[in-house]
Amino acid sequence: MNTFKSSVQNVAAAIGLIAAVTVGGCVMIPYDTPESKAQIQRDLKIAPSDIQAVSETNWCLFPYGSEGSCRATQGLGVLTSKGVILSLYNNHTYTETARILPEQVQCVKTVGGRTGVEPFVVFTKDRAIMLAVITPGGQMNVPVKVSFFDYLTKPGQHVFTGTDGGYVRKSGRKQTVGGMVSGTAIPWHTTLDVTEVFNPCPQVTD
């Protein structure tokens, strides 16, 4: 899924992230057949009338203070009146792993706005959550992304756009890495700044 991987890396650069978000191969998760829809309802205990939008969704959960990089989890995003449900699909079973409610969201970060063709990030009291709503072909699923975005963004919510709202900074900690120069017995090492994720929302002080 090179298209999506490139898109996420470009977004990381535009937002000013020190860390790159990486994703693996494409995961095909059934969700648009009558059978899969019925199973989603059963497994996630959702009333049929309460499913408002569904899409393959990749996400990263960044607890504040953690390093600003992750390997995106590949799963399914389900929008209901009771939250955006992030679900994994394993052994032909859908399992809820996280749920995001509008009242938990303190502010939002998006480079190109609500209809931009890139992931967006929501910030809660405890963590940042990057959401990449995608099609089975690996493109951004903009209509469903907009549905997720609008549900999670309350009226008057602060939304960072462009390069504003960076949420990764130097932590003050150092990390030493090293190894051997390829094809030689010459050792090398260097010291790097360790980054951390923080909450950029205007009403938050730390």
Side-chain angles (χ1 to χ4, degrees), residues 122-143:
V122 299
F123 300 90
T124 70
K125 178 182 177 181
D126 302 314
R127 60 191 178 183
I129 306 169
M130 186 214 75
L131 297 171
V133 185
I134 59 173
T135 67
Q139 305 296 320
M140 194 61 57
N141 190 339
V142 176

Side-chain angles (χ1 to χ4, degrees), residues 15-18 62-68 106-107 109 121-129 160 164-171 195-202 204-206:
I15 294 176
L17 295 181
I18 297 171
F62 298 101
Y64 298 131
S66 65
E67 289 193 54
Q106 297 180 335
C107 68
K109 166 66 191 174
V121 184
V122 299
F123 300 90
T124 70
K125 178 182 177 181
D126 302 314
R127 60 191 178 183
I129 306 169
F160 292 105
D164 294 334
Y167 57 96
V168 180
R169 64 189 174 192
K170 293 181 180 179
S171 67
T195 63
E196 67 178 5
V197 174
F198 69 97
N199 188 335
C201 299
V204 175
T205 58
D206 58 5

Side-chain angles (χ1 to χ4, degrees), residues 38-91:
Q39 186 177 350
I40 289 169
Q41 294 162 13
R42 290 194 303 271
D43 291 350
L44 300 181
K45 299 177 174 60
I46 306 170
S49 60
D50 200 24
I51 295 181
Q52 301 173 20
V54 184
S55 179
E56 290 189 37
T57 302
N58 293 353
W59 66 83
C60 284
L61 306 179
F62 298 101
Y64 298 131
S66 65
E67 289 193 54
S69 64
C70 87
R71 184 175 182 84
T73 300
Q74 298 173 307
L76 196 70
V78 184
L79 173 60
T80 75
S81 64
K82 299 178 181 66
V84 173
I85 299 172
L86 302 180
S87 169
L88 295 178
Y89 181 68
N90 292 312
N91 297 321

